[in-house]
Amino acid sequence: MFRFRIKIILLMNLLVMMILFLRLSFLQYYKGDEYNLEVRNANIIEERLEPLRGSIYDTNGKSIAEQVPSFNLILNPNSFPFTDNEFVKDIKNFRKKSHKLKREDRKKEENELIARLSIEVPRLLKDPLLIKLNQILKKDSNTLIFELTNVFNKSIKGWLLEPLFYNLKYEEAISVEMQFIGVRGINIESSSIRSYPQGWSMAHIIGQIQNLQEDEVDEIVESGKLKRGPNTVVELSMAEHQYLLTRHELANLWVGRSGLEASFNRFLSGVSGESISEKVIVKNAEGEVVPEYINHLYSAPVVGGDLHLTIDVELQKIAENAMRQPYKSYLNGREVVRNYVGAFIALNPQTGEVLALVSMPDFDPNALIPPMDKNVVDDVLLGKTQPSYLKAFNRVTQSRYPPGSPFKIFVALMGLEDNIVDENFTVLCTGAMRFASGDEYRCHNISGHQRVDIIKALKKSCNIYFYTIGMKMGTDRQNYWSKLFGFGQKTGLELPREYAGHLPVIRLNSKKMPITNLYVDSHYSIGQVDLETTPIQMARAVAVFANGGYLVSPHIVKNEALSKSKTKLPIKDKNIKIVVDGLFEVVNTPGGTAYATGHSDKIEILGKTGTADVGGHPIQKSPKWNDIYYRPSQSSYPPHAWFVGFAPRNNPKIAFACVSEHSGHGGEIAAPIVKKILEDYIQLLQIREENEPKG
Amino acid sequence: MSDIFKKIRLSIFVPMLLLNLIGVIAISSTSIHTKAAGNYAEKQIGFIFFSFLVAIIIVAIPFEFFKKFAYVFYVFGIGLLIYVALFGKVVNGAKGWISLGAGLPNLQPSEFMKYFLVLALARYLMHQESYHRWRDLLIPFALSAIPMFFLLKQPDLGSSMIYMPLLFTLLFALGFRLKKTIFLFFLGSTLIFLLWNFTEKIHSYQKKRVWAFLYPENYLDKEAYQLNASLKAIGDGGVFGKGYQQGTVHGFNQLPESHTDFIFAVICEDFGLIGGAIVFALFLFLIFRLMGLLNETKEPFALCVILGVSIIMFYQVVISMSVVLGLMPTTGLTLPLISYGGSSVLANYFGVALAINASNHDVLMVSKSEFSENV
């Protein structure tokens, strides 16, 4: 043996060990702090603290929307003690080793397990513990299978578990807790859920909440707005309080999709809070070494703001009831019983506050609180049960109705203001205007109203009188006045996707001069041209006559500034009075189109009926059919029935617009609805006054 | 009295027992220890006691026994490897264990094979003329390669890596021509390279381990996870350590194999650079003492045995530590005396006992053919 070589080997030993030791020192001395920070960061837990969503109240403080405590049932298939079930065991084994598998193998096994679900889950229903559970929950087996399949599906894929059932009743939750004490894999989670305590009411006002969809989440993630909060221990002291969400948290967020839940989503949501804790190992009092959480940052969530509406829930319900009664109508000569499809809106003419807003058909907003029933989604959102009458549309703000005769109210004023007519001007109505060319402009009374002045023209709704005004004014000038009354523009109501309406477009000839079209000019005045209005525009416009000539700002959320912001229109008081007189006679003197059906002894109603044709008359080019705004079906169906007005004459409290699609005459159909609503409302107000504490 | 002590070589067993103690402390600090799976630290203590007793017995056995039956041991080892290849239990992707039945720990033949090979090599190489010519190297090479073959079949790359370096260093120490040694080194490397690329015996995950070592950023989730966790744990310990059982990385189950392959990282996290330095010192001392045993005898077989055992001990420590420190890809080789594992502790005590036995064995007279002219 070479002594020398042995010495060399020993030297190499020493050298190598020194190199290793150097490496160790490098890691622990030079990079020690860096690694320490990295390890600490890996054990930091950031939690989002859910803010409470704000509530919505009516004008008297009644709760319309609120968060209520809810109990969700969570079942974890991985730990729930199913009795000796092969499938469950297979899933458990798979989950244990899945992280060691390659992606393709993992997917393959996942799919195999998922394929077995349809057979295995129904088998699981025989499990004694599940039977015991269902004795409390009392769900039918199909529901149970469906929900269990969902949960198992997520468990196989390793996703975060969702509750098996949401919204357990308090007694059910307690029973489950007590009967399953100590049983693993099942527990009750208390959370809060949206509730609309007024029940099946105000669907279009409230709107609907929903989870963010996949593509929306993707969009936010890609926009780079998803920045995580502080993520090093060093930055903890400089934490921002605005908590930005992770992708998973985004996907579970509820956002408003329609109605006030949507337009005030941010306001109602509040601001998330945040809690950052670090998991460390400490020695406790008994000298044991245990993991513990140290909290580094706690920022409380900011509760969402509450909305106080101008809506009076009781008036709203009166209106909804009135529009839910089936009515008799005539279709192709036969008498039929139908449900109203249409809208009713009542607002305070002095302030523009909306008191009631009804769109029919409607739905139960509670049914759309997630998780949503598939049938409800099909019915309400996809319109599968009644394809021509989509329930989700808000016909007060999103519709395109031809105004018909009620538009005469405004034409009357236009004529007076432009000095085309005055209170003494008369026209002879013989049933039609005949032209040399052979054209006929008809009045709805074939024999004619004989001599009419402006009051009588309104009372009887004589077309001929208004044709006269229209032909003299021209479309352009009528457009000018229409805009003044707020037509062709949004009212600014706080509900989303309001339709601004549409005014007739004047065509230009080759010399860029407007082409006069006598037909359009005249029929404009009876509201039967390419003119589209929404009920809320009508109500706002008629309110001008109820408040002495002001255009108010309709709003549904209490707002003093808006209540006071009204624009005085350049119209004379005496002209207003003339029109008002006319509106009075329509309802309150015999022969008025609304006298028979709309006259009431309990409250003085003023208004104008309308029978708006929708088929037969040529209509100018309009925006396309499958726009997002609702368009009632055009065919040879009966015309829409309108009734627009206010009540009472002195110190008017309500300006209203009511429309019922394809129902017939305004006087026959729409006026009775309004009469019923207003009479019930008066009664309600009287009861309230009596119940108010004296003094 | 002191004779007996000298015979038992306290200066060797004391560092070994100290290392064992450190190992037990570290094992009891890991999260594995607290799991319902079993009380690992206690089991390790049992292994140590048993191995110590076995070592005493081995030291007491007359040395000629080993000389006479050197090849028998080797064949026995090969036999175990064959048995394992046919009937072995698969652990962590390698078929390397024999189960001895309920209640008894599993046996890992690869741990023992190293020392059996030492016996065989020593037996063959103890004659001087047998290592100067190329063709005489055939047999030692074959002796080393056969176990490698079986080990790579399991597959256990880590254990098989020791055999060639063992052979080379042994040859080097015995006076083999330097140039030829280097040539042999390259030959061995080529062999490994060929095996690497052209056989299925080195599975893809072994290859992945190497890639993960070279490019850890790309494999953060799986293969490099262990490496990164180890580095973090070590760095987290700093100079003074975080305290017994208070290491965060292994405490929160973020370090795999914390009681076996990566036990050193646990020591580093709990006891810091100071703890690591103590371990280094103890190993260095042990290895130097083992080599110092060479002075006690002149008998060629004994010298070879002592040398072989020391080299094995050295390489095991270096390779295992390099893996933990992130200087080498994962091999599966355990840290002697500290890692949890009955076979590992027993085999190492066996080897050391052989070396001690060898050092106690001297001859007053040797025949010419057995005497190396350079001593």
Side-chain angles (χ1 to χ4, degrees):
Chain A
M1 234 159 258
F2 287 92
R3 283 217 171 276
F4 175 65
R5 291 194 167 196
I6 303 284
K7 286 203 169 78
I8 293 205
I9 292 180
L10 280 172
L11 199 63
M12 296 307 296
N13 286 2
L14 195 57
L15 220 63
V16 170
M17 292 296 258
M18 268 175 58
I19 292 177
L20 290 183
F21 187 71
L22 231 62
R23 166 75 169 170
L24 184 68
S25 315
F26 169 72
L27 287 175
Q28 295 192 307
Y29 185 68
Y30 282 105
K31 290 192 89 178
D33 287 331
E34 193 186 306
Y35 276 117
N36 183 261
L37 210 62
E38 211 183 305
V39 167
R40 284 185 73 189
N41 283 333
N43 287 311
I44 288 201
I45 300 166
E46 293 182 61
E47 259 184 285
R48 170 178 174 253
L49 304 173
E50 175 106 28
L52 196 66
R53 195 171 174 87
S55 304
I56 304 180
Y57 299 100
D58 92 331
T59 194
N60 293 316
K62 291 207 183 71
S63 174
I64 294 178
E66 59 189 16
Q67 294 292 114
V68 294
S70 91
F71 302 99
N72 302 331
L73 177 71
I74 305 205
L75 190 107
N76 189 343
N78 245 358
S79 39
F80 188 75
F82 288 105
T83 319
D84 254 342
N85 186 292
E86 279 304 313
F87 184 55
V88 172
K89 283 193 195 139
D90 288 342
I91 297 182
K92 270 193 213 172
N93 289 335
F94 169 66
R95 288 246 44 88
K96 262 190 215 155
K97 60 171 181 160
S98 68
H99 63 280
K100 292 186 196 156
L101 293 172
K102 281 194 286 205
R103 196 170 183 273
E104 311 89 63
D105 297 333
R106 197 178 73 228
K107 279 282 163 206
K108 186 161 144 263
E109 282 210 44
E110 257 178 41
N111 291 333
E112 280 172 21
L113 285 169
I114 289 175
R116 288 165 68 183
L117 278 175
S118 48
I119 310 175
E120 298 284 355
V121 173
R123 270 201 209 140
L124 276 171
L125 289 194
K126 299 202 186 82
D127 185 280
L129 273 179
L130 269 187
I131 293 179
K132 184 173 163 194
L133 181 65
N134 206 26
Q135 276 170 350
I136 306 173
L137 300 176
K138 299 197 183 54
K139 303 275 179 192
D140 65 285
S141 24
N142 282 336
T143 316
L144 206 52
I145 291 175
F146 182 72
E147 299 294 349
L148 268 176
T149 307
N150 228 343
V151 169
F152 268 90
N153 198 321
K154 291 208 160 59
S155 173
I156 291 172
K157 290 186 191 162
W159 291 358
L160 213 61
L161 269 189
E162 270 177 17
L164 178 65
F165 287 111
Y166 285 87
N167 242 349
L168 259 57
K169 297 196 188 56
Y170 180 68
E171 301 79 35
E172 291 169 346
I174 292 282
S175 295
V176 171
E177 278 268 10
M178 284 177 36
Q179 292 189 30
F180 285 85
I181 279 185
V183 177
R184 297 181 66 213
I186 179 170
N187 60 296
I188 298 287
E189 168 190 80
S190 56
S191 83
S192 79
I193 197 174
R194 202 74 170 147
S195 161
Y196 304 123
Q198 298 302 326
W200 190 318
S201 176
M202 295 176 281
H204 298 95
I205 298 176
I206 297 171
Q208 171 214 0
I209 50 174
Q210 198 192 46
N211 286 83
L212 278 179
Q213 301 301 297
E214 271 298 310
D215 48 331
E216 288 170 306
V217 175
D218 285 337
E219 210 183 295
I220 297 182
V221 169
E222 272 152 40
S223 71
K225 288 188 202 152
L226 211 57
K227 184 179 69 73
R228 222 21 196 162
N231 60 1
T232 66
V233 176
V234 169
E235 281 179 34
L236 282 176
S237 53
M238 305 185 299
E240 292 176 294
H241 282 245
Q242 177 76 43
Y243 186 86
L244 297 161
L245 307 163
T246 60
R247 192 201 168 89
H248 174 75
E249 285 162 343
L250 260 186
N252 282 315
L253 209 57
W254 287 4
V255 291
R257 288 286 182 212
S258 54
L260 290 173
E261 296 275 24
S263 39
F264 284 89
N265 189 51
R266 213 157 250 254
F267 177 75
L268 290 167
S269 297
V271 178
S272 300
E274 181 178 21
S275 165
I276 301 185
S277 307
E278 186 183 355
K279 193 177 172 193
V280 294
I281 296 187
V282 294
K283 269 203 165 75
N284 67 3
E286 287 90 37
E288 286 172 335
V289 171
V290 289
E292 204 182 77
Y293 291 90
I294 300 179
N295 185 272
H296 287 293
L297 175 77
Y298 180 81
S299 112
V302 176
V303 167
D306 292 336
L307 286 177
H308 295 274
L309 305 185
T310 57
I311 296 282
D312 184 338
V313 160
E314 289 183 292
L315 173 59
Q316 174 82 14
K317 288 191 175 169
I318 289 171
E320 284 171 348
N321 271 330
M323 290 201 79
R324 285 191 186 135
Q325 309 300 322
Y327 67 101
K328 286 205 201 112
S329 170
Y330 290 89
L331 185 62
N332 297 334
R334 285 178 298 130
E335 186 182 273
V336 293
V337 174
R338 302 162 70 188
N339 286 318
Y340 288 113
V341 174
F344 173 84
I345 175 165
L347 48 83
N348 181 333
Q350 313 299 334
T351 59
E353 291 177 332
V354 174
L355 301 168
L357 189 151
V358 178
S359 169
M360 286 290 163
D362 69 349
F363 51 91
D364 184 359
N366 284 293
L368 283 181
I369 297 176
M372 293 184 283
D373 190 53
K374 184 175 179 302
N375 293 331
V376 174
V377 170
D378 281 345
D379 176 32
V380 174
L381 298 177
L382 300 176
K384 284 190 181 165
T385 39
Q386 274 188 298
S388 12
Y389 298 114
L390 201 56
K391 291 179 182 170
F393 269 118
N394 181 343
R395 286 162 174 78
V396 173
T397 59
Q398 296 177 334
S399 51
R400 304 166 152 191
Y401 294 127
S405 296
F407 201 71
K408 291 172 185 165
I409 305 175
F410 316 109
V411 179
L413 187 86
M414 295 178 205
L416 289 168
E417 283 291 323
D418 276 3
N419 289 318
I420 295 176
V421 296
D422 61 20
E423 58 266 46
N424 299 316
F425 181 83
T426 61
V427 157
L428 181 66
C429 169
T430 55
M433 254 183 181
R434 292 181 181 80
F435 295 86
S437 55
D439 281 339
E440 267 187 12
Y441 294 167
R442 295 205 182 104
C443 189
H444 58 87
N445 184 332
I446 315 175
S447 18
H449 296 108
Q450 309 314 311
R451 199 143 285 277
V452 290
D453 65 354
I454 191 165
I455 304 271
K456 195 164 175 199
L458 282 170
K459 173 178 168 183
K460 297 269 186 190
S461 195
C462 174
N463 289 356
I464 308 297
Y465 188 93
F466 290 96
Y467 287 148
T468 317
I469 299 183
M471 287 193 291
K472 288 225 173 111
M473 279 190 79
T475 305
D476 201 25
R477 187 71 182 159
Q478 286 180 92
N479 271 348
Y480 162 78
W481 279 109
S482 300
K483 284 189 197 140
L484 229 52
F485 273 96
F487 293 106
Q489 309 138 47
K490 295 188 190 180
T491 61
L493 190 70
E494 302 94 325
L495 296 176
R497 295 180 286 276
E498 182 186 0
Y499 182 51
H502 178 81
L503 298 177
V505 174
I506 300 172
R507 288 200 280 178
L508 302 174
N509 62 10
S510 48
K511 297 200 182 102
K512 302 287 164 88
M513 297 295 287
I515 302 176
T516 36
N517 183 331
L518 214 58
Y519 183 87
V520 173
D521 293 346
S522 47
H523 286 71
Y524 197 146
S525 318
I526 63 167
Q528 293 278 188
V529 290
D530 185 17
L531 178 64
E532 290 175 348
T533 62
T534 60
I536 191 173
Q537 283 174 336
M538 295 294 275
R540 177 214 233 189
V542 81
V544 171
F545 297 90
N547 58 27
Y550 290 89
L551 196 67
V552 293
S553 312
H555 53 285
I556 203 169
V557 176
K558 278 195 184 146
N559 186 328
E560 268 211 47
L562 272 183
S563 295
K564 295 199 179 120
S565 91
K566 42 192 182 181
T567 339
K568 177 86 171 76
L569 295 183
I571 54 187
K572 303 189 187 68
D573 282 347
K574 72 169 174 118
N575 291 334
I576 294 178
K577 183 180 180 307
I578 294 172
V579 176
V580 169
D581 284 340
L583 296 180
F584 180 83
E585 300 229 351
V586 170
V587 189
N588 298 297
T589 56
T593 51
Y595 179 68
T597 50
H599 174 73
S600 164
D601 297 321
K602 302 191 183 128
I603 176 169
E604 195 180 34
I605 305 176
L606 286 71
K608 178 77 190 76
T609 58
T611 308
D613 279 325
V614 280
H617 289 290
I619 292 185
Q620 305 279 15
K621 272 206 303 272
S622 300
K624 42 188 201 305
W625 170 262
N626 43 6
D627 215 310
I628 59 166
Y629 298 108
Y630 175 70
R631 193 187 190 94
S633 60
Q634 278 182 286
S635 59
S636 52
Y637 267 57
H640 299 331
W642 278 96
F643 189 53
V644 174
F646 56 90
R649 179 167 191 161
N650 293 323
N651 213 350
K653 295 277 188 325
I654 291 196
F656 58 82
C658 178
V659 60
S660 172
E661 291 180 21
H662 303 307
S663 314
H665 293 289
E668 275 172 30
I669 307 293
I673 305 176
V674 175
K675 173 182 171 184
K676 173 116 180 49
I677 295 176
L678 291 180
E679 285 187 338
D680 285 350
Y681 188 47
I682 281 292
Q683 206 173 23
L684 172 74
L685 289 178
Q686 280 167 351
I687 296 176
R688 278 190 188 159
E689 231 183 84
E690 285 163 20
N691 288 337
E692 244 179 56
K694 308 275 191 276
Chain B
M1 254 320 254
S2 60
D3 252 354
I4 302 177
F5 278 137
K6 201 176 176 211
K7 266 206 168 173
I8 298 179
R9 307 286 176 196
L10 266 184
S11 63
I12 292 205
F13 279 118
V14 165
M16 283 179 78
L17 287 169
L18 281 175
L19 285 167
N20 283 142
L21 179 66
I22 292 178
V24 168
I25 293 175
I27 292 171
S28 70
S29 165
T30 66
S31 47
I32 300 279
H33 178 73
T34 51
K35 278 195 183 149
N39 203 330
Y40 283 74
E42 285 173 9
K43 283 187 187 169
Q44 180 80 337
I45 294 177
F47 294 146
I48 295 167
F49 263 120
F50 179 71
S51 307
F52 192 80
L53 288 174
V54 168
I56 304 268
I57 295 174
I58 301 275
V59 171
I61 294 177
F63 193 62
E64 280 78 27
F65 172 75
F66 293 107
K67 189 163 165 187
K68 195 166 167 192
F69 291 101
Y71 290 124
V72 176
F73 274 104
Y74 178 81
V75 171
F76 174 63
I78 299 288
L80 280 179
L81 286 177
I82 295 179
Y83 182 83
V84 145
L86 293 173
F87 306 113
K89 201 168 110 163
V90 178
V91 168
N92 276 346
K95 204 179 195 184
W97 297 75
I98 302 177
S99 93
L100 295 174
L104 290 173
N106 295 326
L107 192 69
Q108 196 179 21
S110 59
E111 296 280 350
F112 296 96
M113 193 60 226
K114 303 173 223 168
Y115 295 108
F116 295 161
L117 177 63
V118 166
L119 284 173
L121 282 177
R123 183 79 171 82
Y124 188 81
L125 292 171
M126 66 184 190
H127 305 289
Q128 187 203 338
E129 344 11 302
S130 44
Y131 46 79
H132 275 304
R133 297 195 298 266
W134 277 113
R135 55 186 153 98
D136 297 313
L137 276 150
L138 219 58
I139 306 247
F141 200 78
L143 284 174
S144 311
I146 294 176
M148 270 186 81
F149 169 76
F150 284 105
L151 283 172
L152 287 171
K153 254 192 119 176
Q154 289 186 350
D156 185 349
L157 180 62
S159 297
S160 67
M161 279 177 58
I162 283 220
Y163 291 81
M164 285 298 143
L166 169 65
L167 180 62
F168 306 146
T169 320
L170 208 51
L171 291 175
F172 175 76
L174 289 173
F176 198 69
R177 292 273 177 263
L178 193 62
K179 277 185 257 178
K180 289 183 177 159
T181 317
I182 295 177
F183 182 80
L184 210 60
F185 171 75
F186 281 116
L187 197 68
S189 312
T190 319
L191 178 71
I192 292 181
F193 179 75
L194 289 171
L195 282 171
W196 176 269
N197 277 320
F198 295 111
T199 61
E200 285 308 298
K201 290 170 187 169
I202 302 191
H203 290 202
S204 59
Y205 79 86
Q206 305 262 26
K207 291 190 194 183
K208 264 204 196 142
R209 278 175 172 175
V210 178
W211 289 129
F213 170 74
L214 293 171
Y215 303 106
E217 320 82 55
N218 297 340
Y219 292 87
L220 274 175
D221 277 340
K222 284 195 189 150
E223 291 82 10
Y225 175 74
Q226 218 173 22
L227 168 67
N228 285 309
S230 174
L231 293 178
K232 278 206 300 203
I234 294 175
D236 188 35
V239 176
F240 295 102
K242 304 201 80 170
Y244 172 62
Q245 284 191 338
Q246 288 173 1
T248 326
V249 176
H250 70 82
F252 288 140
N253 269 321
Q254 290 165 4
L255 180 65
E257 303 293 338
S258 54
H259 62 316
T260 52
D261 299 0
F262 284 86
I263 191 75
F264 186 60
V266 175
I267 296 174
C268 288
E269 193 175 14
D270 279 4
F271 304 112
L273 189 59
I274 295 186
I278 293 178
V279 170
F280 264 98
L282 283 171
F283 271 122
L284 210 55
F285 184 72
L286 179 64
I287 292 171
F288 267 67
R289 281 304 293 132
L290 278 173
M291 290 222 145
L293 289 177
L294 289 167
N295 290 326
E296 305 291 326
T297 181
K298 295 193 175 57
E299 210 258 303
F301 177 73
L303 290 171
C304 288
V305 167
I306 297 170
L307 201 58
V309 169
S310 320
I311 291 172
I312 288 182
M313 184 64 65
F314 172 68
Y315 276 119
Q316 279 193 145
V317 170
V318 165
I319 292 177
S320 162
M321 280 200 176
S322 301
V323 169
V324 172
L325 291 170
L327 296 171
M328 268 185 77
T330 322
T331 58
L333 210 59
T334 56
L335 189 63
L337 307 173
I338 293 188
S339 274
Y340 172 80
S343 304
S344 167
V345 175
L346 183 60
N348 288 314
Y349 267 94
F350 173 76
V352 170
L354 275 181
I356 293 178
N357 195 344
S359 71
N360 288 336
H361 173 84
D362 206 351
V363 281
L364 300 168
M365 285 225 325
V366 292
S367 67
K368 240 189 177 175
S369 60
E370 287 184 11
F371 194 81
S372 164
E373 61 191 31
N374 283 319
V375 165

